[in-house]
Amino acid sequence: MDPVADMFSAIKNAIARKRDYVDVPSSKLKEAILELLKKEGYIKDWEALKDEDNTKGTQYKLRIYLKYLDPKKERNAISELEKVSKPGRRIYVPRHRIPYVKRGFGIAILSTDAGLVTDHEARKLGKGGELIAYVW
């Protein structure tokens, strides 16, 4: 029911299996979230796998390259991904109630009228919005 939560589950499962990458179905929201995760250093990179013989219309795959902090893949950059706002219960926060994740060591992803931003950027902009996820 929730494509973003499905993407988070796929990422957590791939990390548990020590995979180098994971493929998930695409959406604009997922691409924006992945761009934030890349910018904040939680994943190496991501790419859209668009092939010429795509018969399903506009749906394509996103390949997410996971980031590990050691060569043996014992420590990964993402400790936890937690979806906060769900389809059954949306969570909105005003600008003065934006949470700090792990005392500032993690990030909160918010959907504002300025686009998808982290909690640090939302505080600078003075904007609240829908609280999408916590990452640490």
Side-chain angles (χ1 to χ4, degrees):
M1 289 299 294
D2 189 3
V4 175
D6 292 342
M7 178 181 74
F8 286 169
S9 294
I11 291 172
K12 287 193 266 188
N13 290 339
I15 287 171
R17 302 280 302 177
K18 299 180 177 161
R19 303 278 189 221
D20 290 326
Y21 64 88
V22 64
D23 293 339
V24 295
S26 66
S27 78
K28 296 280 186 190
L29 180 61
K30 289 179 190 178
E31 290 180 10
I33 290 171
L34 290 174
E35 197 57 44
L36 277 178
L37 291 177
K38 178 182 170 186
K39 185 176 83 172
E40 293 291 324
Y42 288 103
I43 60 173
K44 278 186 192 174
D45 202 1
W46 66 275
E47 67 177 334
L49 302 175
K50 297 179 182 178
D51 53 348
E52 292 79 30
D53 57 318
N54 189 358
T55 58
K56 294 184 181 180
T58 59
Q59 190 75 22
Y60 51 91
K61 295 277 187 189
L62 298 174
R63 180 162 287 171
I64 305 164
Y65 297 99
L66 303 173
K67 183 176 182 179
Y68 295 95
L69 302 176
D70 62 346
K72 291 185 177 181
K73 299 181 183 178
E74 297 296 325
R75 295 179 44 226
N76 50 335
I78 297 174
S79 297
E80 186 64 37
L81 285 167
E82 184 180 324
K83 182 85 161 80
V84 178
S85 187
K86 297 175 170 68
R89 182 167 185 234
R90 302 286 184 191
I91 307 294
Y92 296 94
V93 292
R95 64 185 172 137
H96 60 278
R97 295 248 174 131
I98 297 172
Y100 288 92
V101 180
K102 296 292 180 183
R103 296 188 180 194
F105 287 108
I107 63 168
I109 299 174
L110 284 94
S111 176
T112 66
D113 58 355
L116 234 62
V117 294
T118 63
D119 55 340
H120 310 293
E121 294 168 349
R123 281 189 205 93
K124 280 183 192 172
L125 295 171
K127 296 185 180 287
E130 183 181 357
L131 188 58
I132 303 289
Y134 295 142
V135 184
W136 69 89

